[in-house]
Amino acid sequence: FTTNIMAFDVPFQETMGFPTSAEEVDGLDNGMVGPTIELALECKVLYPWTDELPKDIFMEYVLNYANLNEGRTNWRPLLVESLKFNKSA
């Protein structure tokens, strides 16, 4: 199941949504990918200033759940809550 995962990501395959057993189809509902996409799209709708963000930037840096060798942690809910708290955002 780990043939398509970089070696440094193997220990984190479950949090990334990759299957760890033959019983899982794709595992995406178990990891961070689904919630990350939901939060990114929620913010796109909630904050009008995101309309000024070019689509390629949104797709590469906002929607994407990780960039290069960034640690796979679920930090986005904290950021979303901070934006909700800051009424000027």
Side-chain angles (χ1 to χ4, degrees):
F1 295 108
T2 59
T3 57
N4 294 323
I5 302 174
M6 300 291 259
F8 55 80
D9 282 332
V10 172
F12 312 107
Q13 67 183 2
E14 286 185 62
T15 63
M16 292 171 20
F18 288 98
T20 55
S21 70
E23 292 149 12
E24 296 182 56
V25 177
D26 62 14
L28 293 178
D29 59 339
N30 298 328
M32 292 189 320
V33 176
T36 295
I37 292 170
E38 288 176 23
L39 286 172
L41 295 175
E42 176 185 332
C43 287
K44 183 82 172 118
V45 170
L46 287 175
Y47 303 106
W49 51 264
T50 61
D51 293 341
E52 298 174 26
L53 192 63
K55 183 179 179 181
D56 60 327
I57 299 295
F58 178 79
M59 299 293 278
E60 182 67 27
Y61 298 104
V62 179
L63 190 60
N64 195 355
Y65 78 97
N67 291 302
L68 300 173
N69 62 350
E70 172 188 354
R72 281 22 172 206
T73 58
N74 198 12
W75 54 267
R76 290 174 196 258
L78 177 64
L79 179 62
V80 170
E81 285 304 312
S82 295
L83 287 172
K84 288 179 182 175
F85 180 73
N86 183 359
K87 302 243 190 247
S88 64

